[in-house]
Amino acid sequence: GVRGVSGVSDRTRAIAVSGEHTSGDNIMQYVTIQSSGNAVDFGDLPNHISNPQSSMSSPTRGLSTGRSGGNEIYYYTISTLGNAADFGNLSLGRYGIMSGGNDTKGVFMGGDSPSDDNRMDSITIATLGDATDFGNTTANQYQGAGNVNSSTRGCYMAGYTSPTNTNVMGYVTFSSLGDATDFGDSTEARHNGAGASSSTRGVCAGGFNPSASNVIDYITIASTSNATDFGDLAAARSVGP
């Protein structure tokens, strides 16, 4: 099995991007969302990845950061099978990045380089090129739940601020460069939770503190407030300690 897989999707296809398997993996696999069945090979990343990395997507294109601690950004067209190609570079190589995006802009938030980092980089998804400065996160934070987005706002939930887990949540407005703003607190301080969202609601599921968690909490993306209990996972899960 592979752990620490990141993912992207359009309305018909979901892609699982690499992950950690022994010394790392570069495999991408996909499923057709409306059909049951095993995952099918999509293509490969240029490099093996040995740590969970960050991915985001528009309705047509997916992007993933590269090797653990590297500054590479790769892209691929979700509707077309094939290997990922070079997109550009982050301003600084780091891992544990929390990502977010809408149809046009992506933001890579926080990370570890190897010290905790508060920088945020932005890219225009449809245009190849290096990331540029967006602003700073509210805390030096990494391994939180990202991909909690509406069309206008991107949020990150919980994570790790050395030497402890944190319950801090923050958000950015995609159309405006600037520092992140405090959103509120998650129900539990933890890192390596999985983020997901609709256009209005975001969730953080699972994570680690001090062991694997089954907690799911949610926020309403358009408003600022503390997260609320959503329910529990069927089993406690985390990428790792």
Side-chain angles (χ1 to χ4, degrees), residues 28-51:
M28 297 189 291
Q29 302 176 76
Y30 79 95
V31 295
T32 302
I33 296 172
Q34 295 181 346
S35 303
S36 57
N38 296 334
V40 179
D41 182 65
F42 183 91
D44 295 330
L45 293 172
N47 287 298
H48 289 251
I49 292 176
S50 58
N51 244 313

Side-chain angles (χ1 to χ4, degrees), residues 22 26 31 46 65 71-72 87 118-119 126 129 134 139 171 178 186 191 196 199 204 206-207 219 224 231-232 241:
T22 61
N26 67 339
V31 295
T65 54
N71 68 346
E72 304 95 339
F87 182 93
N118 69 349
R119 74 187 62 211
F134 188 92
Y171 75 92
S186 60
H191 68 281
S199 60
C204 176
I219 58 172
T224 55
D232 295 331

Side-chain angles (χ1 to χ4, degrees), residues 193-204:
S197 65
S198 68
S199 60
T200 57
R201 176 177 285 186
V203 300
C204 176

Side-chain angles (χ1 to χ4, degrees), residues 5 18 43 84 112-113 123 129 151 162 170 228 236:
V5 174
S18 190
D112 185 89
S113 63
I123 50 94
S151 60
S162 296
T228 303

Side-chain angles (χ1 to χ4, degrees), residues 12 19 33 79-80 107 118 121 124 136 140 144 150 158-160 166 176 185:
T12 60
I33 296 172
S79 63
T80 305
V107 182
N118 69 349
D121 298 335
T124 301
N136 296 322
N140 292 4
S150 67
Y160 198 79
T166 181
S176 304
D185 296 331

Side-chain angles (χ1 to χ4, degrees), residues 9-31:
S9 68
D10 60 13
R11 292 184 178 274
T12 60
R13 177 177 285 177
I15 304 173
V17 183
S18 190
E20 184 174 358
H21 174 68
T22 61
S23 61
D25 214 334
N26 67 339
I27 294 171
M28 297 189 291
Q29 302 176 76
Y30 79 95
V31 295

